[in-house]
Amino acid sequence: MTSGSPSPSPIPPQLTVGFDLDMTLIDSRPGIKAAYEALSAKTGAYINADEAITRLGPPLEEELAYWFPEEEIPAMRDLYREMYVDHAILPTPAMPGAREAVKAVQALGGRAIVVTAKNEPNARHHLEHLGIEPDAVIGWLWAEAKAKALREYGAQVYVGDHIGDVRGARTAGALSVAVPTGPCAESELREAGADVVLTDLTELPQWLAEYERTRTV
């Protein structure tokens, strides 16, 4: 290189976008309601499944604490997960734009990863059933703990519906893109620190194309 020649622009790292699962990529309310109703029938315990599905996002143990004594929660967690596949997978649809959002990342040469608090095997069952094909699935991580996987994969963006997802993105130093399709309103997501709030995932491909254009300029 001759003296005074401009230095080549650094090549930006591969685009990696993380997605939450429940109420971001999938509308898990019908399936989770069915699973709680089955758990109630099996155990004889009262569970208001309609109420439970208004609080989706945090780990299963937090919801079970509303309905079972603390000492019973580990056993009920295991039973719920054992019954989950038979009751929750078929009734659960993809959220509008979910497949297209994942494919939009990959069409740009990027990686789409799913980082969720749901246990990983059941997360994979949902995605396989719905034909959503991310490049990686990481389960058992909630809120700030999601930052571990986001950092490991070098995610620049994390998309979620809950303030816990916003906290996870911010902890990882990733851009928080929020969709108010779950239990948290747009105002809550913005107050928690979301960088971008979209109506739903149908708006993500266009936003992502512009983000990638400015990122690689």
Side-chain angles (χ1 to χ4, degrees), residues 2 12 21-22 30 39 56 60 71-72 74 83 100 108 112 122 138 142 148 150 167 178 184 187 195 198 214:
T2 60
L21 184 67
D22 289 340
L39 183 64
L56 299 183
L60 171 62
E71 65 273 13
E72 294 182 16
M83 302 171 68
E100 294 80 2
L108 291 168
N122 286 343
I138 306 96
W142 161 242
K148 178 182 178 182
L150 296 174
R167 301 203 310 266
C184 298
S187 57
D195 298 292
L198 305 176
T214 57

Side-chain angles (χ1 to χ4, degrees), residues 9-77:
S9 299
I11 299 173
Q14 181 184 24
L15 174 67
T16 301
V17 178
F19 292 89
D20 175 50
L21 184 67
D22 289 340
M23 302 312 298
T24 299
L25 289 175
I26 65 173
D27 184 351
S28 48
R29 290 171 296 187
I32 289 178
K33 179 180 179 182
Y36 277 126
E37 288 173 343
L39 183 64
S40 178
K42 179 84 170 178
T43 62
Y46 172 71
I47 300 174
N48 186 330
D50 288 310
E51 180 181 324
I53 61 173
T54 68
R55 293 189 286 256
L56 299 183
L60 171 62
E61 291 86 350
E62 290 190 22
E63 183 60 40
L64 292 174
Y66 286 95
W67 315 110
F68 295 97
E70 183 177 357
E71 65 273 13
E72 294 182 16
I73 290 175
M76 293 302 102
R77 174 198 62 209

Side-chain angles (χ1 to χ4, degrees), residues 9-17 105 108-111 154-157 175 207-217:
S9 299
I11 299 173
Q14 181 184 24
L15 174 67
T16 301
V17 178
V105 177
L108 291 168
R111 295 182 299 178
Q156 296 94 354
V157 177
L175 198 70
W207 177 86
L208 193 62
E210 178 62 18
Y211 168 77
E212 182 66 352
R213 185 187 69 79
T214 57
R215 190 178 78 93
T216 55
V217 167

Side-chain angles (χ1 to χ4, degrees), residues 173-198:
L175 198 70
S176 171
V177 175
V179 284
T181 50
C184 298
E186 178 178 346
S187 57
E188 292 178 84
L189 295 165
R190 291 192 184 279
E191 185 176 344
D195 298 292
V196 177
V197 180
L198 305 176

